[in-house]
Amino acid sequence: MIAHTPVPLDGLRNARAATRDADRHRGGVNAWGNSFPAEELPFGAALRVGGIPFVLPPVDGEHDHVETLGQAIRIPPASPSLGVALLCFGEMGDQALGVDLYGHGGEHLPLVARAKGWLVPRGEAPADAHVCSHLHYPGGYELDPLRPALWCSASRWEAPVAAALLRLGINPLFHLVAVTLLHAAPGAAEAPRAAHGG
């Protein structure tokens, strides 16, 4: 069994992904001003994607997520972790991001996170994604073929690590919405697994 700990993104959010019906014109995920429907993203609450619970932070003024530009995410004290999961999406198709995890014991684990493209065809419902019912266009009109999606990208490492810091690489097309650490539940045995990016 796996336990989960949300990692706060306080002070790191620098971009806007979601708009409400009344402010669609403020969308900016891509060059065309498209955005997620904010009413379908539970900011300030939990969202389960790919079987992993993520806590979406409350919207911080104009910002609701992280455009990855080398930020350092400090991890609150927690039991040793077995891996990390990112709730993310790729602008302009699939995107990769180098991520470095540092442990309190001096460990350094380089990882590669992969975010799938944020737009999926109508009717698709991937198991590792949260797909919204519609895409916001800045002019207020509706086009039906595409739906915006958030994806779960998980990585595991070989042995438990008392994680202290995640340092993101630089890729402004990789968008990070939430982070969750993975732990062995109390009393559960977890077989070692090779470190890899999901």
Side-chain angles (χ1 to χ4, degrees), residues 73 119 159 183:
I73 302 173
L119 297 176
H183 312 270

Side-chain angles (χ1 to χ4, degrees), residues 4-197:
H4 307 92
T5 299
V7 177
L9 297 177
D10 297 340
L12 300 177
R13 286 164 285 166
N14 59 356
R16 182 186 182 108
T19 59
R20 300 199 174 273
D21 280 331
D23 62 1
R24 291 185 181 206
H25 63 282
R26 297 166 69 185
V29 171
N30 56 20
W32 297 274
N34 299 127
S35 55
F36 287 84
E39 64 272 14
E40 296 184 18
L41 300 180
F43 292 108
L47 176 68
R48 184 174 289 269
V49 180
I52 295 174
F54 294 92
V55 175
L56 278 63
V59 176
D60 179 15
E62 287 294 307
H63 303 138
D64 57 25
H65 77 287
V66 175
E67 183 178 287
T68 55
L69 300 172
Q71 294 91 337
I73 302 173
R74 299 199 177 278
I75 299 173
S79 60
S81 60
L82 301 169
V84 66
L86 309 182
L87 186 64
C88 53
F89 64 91
E91 180 186 344
M92 297 181 66
D94 297 355
Q95 299 293 331
L97 181 74
V99 178
D100 292 290
L101 179 130
Y102 297 92
H104 286 287
E107 302 92 340
H108 173 213
L109 300 177
L111 313 167
V112 177
R114 303 190 185 279
K116 296 180 183 178
W118 78 298
L119 297 176
V120 300
R122 177 174 60 87
E124 289 192 6
D128 57 344
H130 171 74
V131 181
C132 297
S133 66
H134 63 288
L135 175 64
H136 275 187
Y137 290 83
Y141 53 84
E142 293 288 346
L143 295 177
D144 201 41
L146 298 173
R147 303 284 186 266
L150 297 176
W151 299 89
C152 173
S153 175
S155 299
R156 302 280 189 98
W157 32 86
E158 293 181 354
V161 173
L165 183 85
L166 278 175
R167 184 170 293 280
L168 305 176
I170 299 175
N171 180 354
L173 301 180
F174 188 109
H175 297 263
L176 177 62
V177 178
V179 177
T180 295
L181 283 183
L182 312 179
H183 312 270
E190 174 74 10
R193 300 176 61 168
H196 66 281

